[in-house]
Amino acid sequence: MSSPKPKPSSPAEHRSDGSQPWLHQTGRTIQEFGTVKQFPVALTMETRLYSCQRLNKVLADTRILHDLYKKYHWLMRGATFYQLHLLLDKHAGEQLELIDTIAERVQTLGGVAVGDPRHVAEITTVPRPPDGVEEVPSMLSRLLEAHELILTECHDAAARTQEYGDDGTNDLLVSEVVRTNELQAWFVAEHLVDTPLVHA
């Protein structure tokens, strides 16, 4: 026989003990994902809705890239373990900063930033890696492919948001997301060059 569910506490019971948290609360959704509320930022609702859709796609892919960097930081192997262990963690930190910046831009436009990891998995186009440990060149190649997916999306989104007159989103995509991903891709790609270290 299952035990009875605890009876929700009443407001009167809470008043008698002011330190008791109000637990197990549920409420209605006050803004649906994929919508924008009216904000005085001198952009039309259509523009802000479009920008939020594009930004949430970049945000989802960036969150996956961040997690790939952390995974490979932990799972790194071989002679270059120390250098790559540190580099991948540095890149993960930079991607984490981008995540916050992109999400805050969505909120600034009156939208809803994608937050739940399960929702992120539905939106991203970055392929899922094996759950186990791949060889190091495969790990690095996956990072580069994710970078290129994000860069492709950002170039198109930046051009389109500029057409809509959303200078803030265009600037964020170009000045921060594109430039960060280009630089990181360069650093990772150079680790895949097959060149001798001690003789010409």
Side-chain angles (χ1 to χ4, degrees):
M1 177 182 242
S2 61
S3 57
K5 290 184 178 179
K7 182 183 174 186
S9 54
S10 68
E13 289 173 316
H14 277 275
R15 281 195 294 272
S16 66
D17 181 6
S19 66
Q20 172 59 48
W22 286 69
L23 305 175
H24 311 295
Q25 296 192 52
T26 58
R28 62 188 178 89
T29 300
I30 59 173
Q31 184 180 354
E32 295 290 340
F33 182 80
T35 66
V36 292
K37 55 188 175 183
Q38 191 58 51
F39 262 10
V41 292
L43 292 170
T44 67
M45 185 166 285
E46 178 190 15
T47 295
R48 292 182 297 107
L49 185 61
Y50 180 79
S51 292
C52 287
Q53 289 170 345
R54 299 304 298 263
L55 286 166
N56 268 319
K57 171 64 173 64
V58 175
L59 177 57
D61 289 343
T62 302
R63 289 187 62 183
I64 296 297
L65 178 57
H66 166 264
D67 288 348
L68 285 178
Y69 266 116
K70 289 302 289 187
K71 176 179 180 175
Y72 297 154
H73 158 75
W74 298 322
L75 302 182
M76 192 46 56
R77 304 284 197 272
T80 57
F81 165 82
Y82 184 68
Q83 298 93 318
L84 283 171
H85 181 73
L86 296 180
L87 178 67
L88 300 191
D89 203 37
K90 175 179 181 290
H91 282 191
E94 292 165 355
Q95 290 293 329
L96 191 59
E97 288 181 19
L98 285 179
I99 287 168
D100 204 44
T101 302
I102 298 165
E104 287 179 353
R105 180 64 188 169
V106 173
Q107 298 303 129
T108 300
L109 294 172
V112 179
V114 58
D116 191 299
R118 293 160 293 191
H119 193 183
V120 168
E122 294 171 0
I123 295 174
T124 187
T125 54
V126 177
R128 179 175 177 169
D131 292 336
V133 182
E134 293 182 278
E135 294 178 321
V136 173
S138 296
M139 295 186 205
L140 300 183
S141 291
R142 283 188 186 276
L143 292 172
L144 292 174
E145 289 163 8
H147 278 298
E148 191 163 29
L149 279 170
I150 291 170
L151 286 166
T152 300
E153 178 71 19
C154 281
H155 286 307
D156 184 68
R160 293 296 303 276
T161 54
Q162 185 176 38
E163 290 172 7
Y164 273 95
D166 185 353
D167 298 322
T169 298
N170 172 272
D171 179 60
L172 166 63
L173 291 170
V174 174
S175 299
E176 298 192 51
V177 185
V178 167
R179 290 182 180 169
T180 297
N181 278 274
E182 286 176 340
L183 190 63
Q184 290 187 350
W186 171 41
F187 272 72
V188 172
E190 291 299 337
H191 285 83
L192 292 174
V193 175
D194 186 11
T195 184
L197 296 177
V198 296
H199 62 83

